[in-house]
Amino acid sequence: VAYKYSKQLVAPEEMEKDLTLIGMVGMIDPPRLEVKDSINKAKMAGIRPVMITGDHRNTAVAIAKELDIAESIDQSISGSQIDEMSDEEFTSRINNYRVFARVSPEHKVKIVKAFKAQGNIVSMTGDGVNDAPSLKYADIGVAMGITGTDVAKGASDMILTDDNFTTIVHAIEEGRNIYNNIKKAVIFLLSCNLGEVISIFLSILLNWPVPLVATQILWVNLITDSLPAISLGVDPGDKDVMKQKPRNPGESFFAHGAGLRAVIGGVLIGLLTLAAFYYGLWEHGYVLGSAMLSNEALETALPYARTMAFVVLAASQLFYSLSMRSFSKSIFKAGLFSNLYLIGSIIVGLLLQLVVITVPFLANAFEVHSLSLREWGIVIAFSLVPLVVNEIIKLFMKEKN
């Protein structure tokens, strides 16, 4: 701000000569305080934030340094420099840049195309009409809900209602946890159903009596499987999920040992169910394969053996669900009581199992008998094996990594 005295009208070309300086006025559009933490969180998660702006290159780099997006001016490029490069050259060098200054709408599309050509999943944010082409071409276009134009909103895949970059990072975290929860529930259900298949299949293969009747299998599928699976679907998620690298889009659902974990869990549940069935027959005086025992002895021992197999199958699945909350962390590190829905599902499942075998009319319907305290101890010990084995596997995997 400056002034000068004049007794006559000053010509326009003379107005800025011989002025007396009063002071300087500076303008700044500072980034929000929470943005820097969100950017660091995104970088930790393997996400590469870049700045695309119409501002001067020096201004853009100064803000980028403040936000830890760029470290030096060498990581920046202007629109005029982009025009001097061929598409092939620009694509080959795109990963070297973190700041793109003085860009036009055409430059934005070119930047998105170059990043995608390098195999990146690209998300683009914008609010103006000139952002619409790049928003449309990006894998995930994100428009501003408050300041964004209708054209930008229409071209985008997602709209931020609060125009806050931090919300994008929260959405990524939420998306990762949702995917992990779906995976937990699916792997858990596969393990449980595989256990049922193995127990029935092996009993037929070995010419044993069938260890479970139809009503018992139906009960397990409706109650024991469903409640923990639903609870795993609403799991609070891993607090360290943003410390992991992004998942490869072509990665199998059963990658990183998830498929093997499902098979191991299913095999253990199936074998332990058969083991409980065999023990129940033996404890009540019938040894499978013995030609000296009558059919009457089998008919007497069979309900007790099926009861033990039924309880082990149900309880092992309930306990096993605890281990499915994390594929790498122990149940104690993941938080034993951080998912109260799952704890409630396990308690309800065990109580319902107790009711089924102790209430007379339900016991008759399911063809089961009440168990003694000793037998309960045995079936609980059998049921805990899949949980313990899975926790040991996690321990060895952690040491290997």
Side-chain angles (χ1 to χ4, degrees), residues 184 187-188 191 232 256-266 268-269 272 316-317 319-331 383-398:
K184 294 172 194 174
I187 298 299
F188 169 73
S191 298
L232 288 171
H256 305 297
L260 180 61
R261 197 78 61 84
V263 171
I264 292 174
L268 283 172
I269 291 171
L272 287 163
S316 62
Q317 293 178 2
F319 292 137
Y320 186 67
S321 65
L322 281 172
S323 186
M324 294 305 299
R325 287 197 57 208
S326 174
F327 292 108
S328 58
K329 294 182 178 180
S330 70
I331 57 175
S383 302
L384 288 171
V385 172
L387 169 64
V388 173
V389 170
N390 203 25
E391 291 299 300
I392 293 173
I393 291 173
K394 291 181 188 178
L395 184 63
F396 278 104
M397 287 181 63
K398 186 176 181 181

Side-chain angles (χ1 to χ4, degrees), residues 241-297:
V241 72
M242 291 299 281
K243 294 180 181 179
Q244 303 167 9
K245 298 301 179 185
R247 178 179 55 86
N248 188 330
E251 179 182 281
S252 168
F253 189 80
F254 301 101
H256 305 297
L260 180 61
R261 197 78 61 84
V263 171
I264 292 174
V267 169
L268 283 172
I269 291 171
L271 292 179
L272 287 163
T273 301
L274 283 178
F277 179 68
Y278 183 91
Y279 181 84
L281 290 174
W282 173 82
E283 189 181 34
H284 289 86
Y286 188 88
V287 180
L288 286 168
S290 176
M292 300 183 65
L293 295 174
S294 64
N295 289 334
E296 289 77 9

Side-chain angles (χ1 to χ4, degrees), residues 188 192 219-229 310 313-318 349 353:
F188 169 73
C192 295
W219 171 267
V220 170
N221 286 329
L222 289 177
I223 305 298
T224 312
D225 288 359
S226 302
L227 293 178
F310 179 42
L313 178 64
S316 62
Q317 293 178 2
L318 290 170
Q353 204 68 24

Side-chain angles (χ1 to χ4, degrees), residues 17-335:
K17 295 180 179 179
D18 302 322
L19 296 173
T20 301
L21 180 67
I22 299 176
M24 301 287 288
V25 177
M27 293 185 293
I28 187 172
D29 184 15
R32 299 185 183 186
L33 296 175
E34 70 274 11
V35 170
K36 185 174 181 179
D37 290 336
S38 298
I39 288 175
N40 289 330
K41 191 175 184 179
K43 289 169 68 177
M44 183 173 59
I47 301 165
R48 185 192 313 154
V50 299
M51 180 189 295
I52 303 176
T53 178
D55 290 341
H56 190 275
R57 184 180 177 187
N58 291 345
T59 304
V61 170
I63 297 296
K65 285 181 178 179
E66 184 180 345
L67 295 176
D68 290 337
I69 292 177
E71 297 176 357
S72 67
I73 198 168
D74 295 332
Q75 292 180 305
S76 66
I77 187 172
S78 64
S80 59
Q81 292 173 306
I82 295 175
D83 291 332
E84 295 172 1
M85 297 183 187
S86 64
D87 290 346
E88 293 76 15
E89 183 184 4
F90 180 61
T91 299
S92 65
R93 297 173 61 181
I94 187 69
N95 288 326
N96 298 330
Y97 303 118
R98 298 292 181 270
V99 177
F100 302 87
R102 289 286 195 237
V103 295
S104 65
E106 292 79 12
H107 291 139
K108 294 178 181 179
V109 174
K110 192 173 182 179
I111 293 166
V112 172
K113 287 183 176 180
F115 273 119
K116 291 181 70 173
Q118 291 289 337
N120 297 292
I121 303 298
V122 181
S123 175
M124 174 75 181
T125 62
D127 55 6
V129 175
N130 60 352
D131 293 320
S134 53
L135 287 171
K136 189 70 176 177
Y137 198 84
D139 294 297
I140 306 169
V142 183
M144 302 297 115
I146 300 174
T147 60
T149 61
D150 291 337
V151 175
K153 293 177 184 177
S156 64
D157 302 291
M158 183 170 71
I159 299 174
L160 291 180
T161 56
D162 58 359
D163 288 10
N164 195 337
F165 175 81
T166 305
T167 305
I168 299 177
V169 179
H170 291 328
I172 294 170
E173 183 176 7
E174 186 69 20
R176 288 187 175 189
N177 278 322
I178 289 172
Y179 177 83
N180 288 340
N181 286 351
I182 293 172
K183 190 171 183 177
K184 294 172 194 174
V186 171
I187 298 299
F188 169 73
L189 289 173
L190 284 175
S191 298
C192 295
N193 285 279
L194 181 60
E196 296 168 22
V197 170
I198 287 175
S199 62
I200 300 296
F201 177 75
L202 286 181
S203 65
I204 296 173
L205 197 65
L206 297 171
N207 200 26
W208 288 9
V210 178
L212 300 165
V213 298
T215 51
Q216 294 171 352
I217 295 174
L218 183 62
W219 171 267
V220 170
N221 286 329
L222 289 177
I223 305 298
T224 312
D225 288 359
S226 302
L227 293 178
I230 295 171
S231 300
L232 288 171
V234 295
D235 195 78
D238 188 356
K239 295 179 181 179
D240 297 328
V241 72
M242 291 299 281
K243 294 180 181 179
Q244 303 167 9
K245 298 301 179 185
R247 178 179 55 86
N248 188 330
E251 179 182 281
S252 168
F253 189 80
F254 301 101
H256 305 297
L260 180 61
R261 197 78 61 84
V263 171
I264 292 174
V267 169
L268 283 172
I269 291 171
L271 292 179
L272 287 163
T273 301
L274 283 178
F277 179 68
Y278 183 91
Y279 181 84
L281 290 174
W282 173 82
E283 189 181 34
H284 289 86
Y286 188 88
V287 180
L288 286 168
S290 176
M292 300 183 65
L293 295 174
S294 64
N295 289 334
E296 289 77 9
L298 175 61
E299 292 299 325
T300 302
L302 195 56
Y304 293 97
R306 282 179 173 166
T307 302
M308 295 192 73
F310 179 42
V311 175
V312 167
L313 178 64
S316 62
Q317 293 178 2
L318 290 170
F319 292 137
Y320 186 67
S321 65
L322 281 172
S323 186
M324 294 305 299
R325 287 197 57 208
S326 174
F327 292 108
S328 58
K329 294 182 178 180
S330 70
I331 57 175
F332 301 105
K333 193 170 183 181

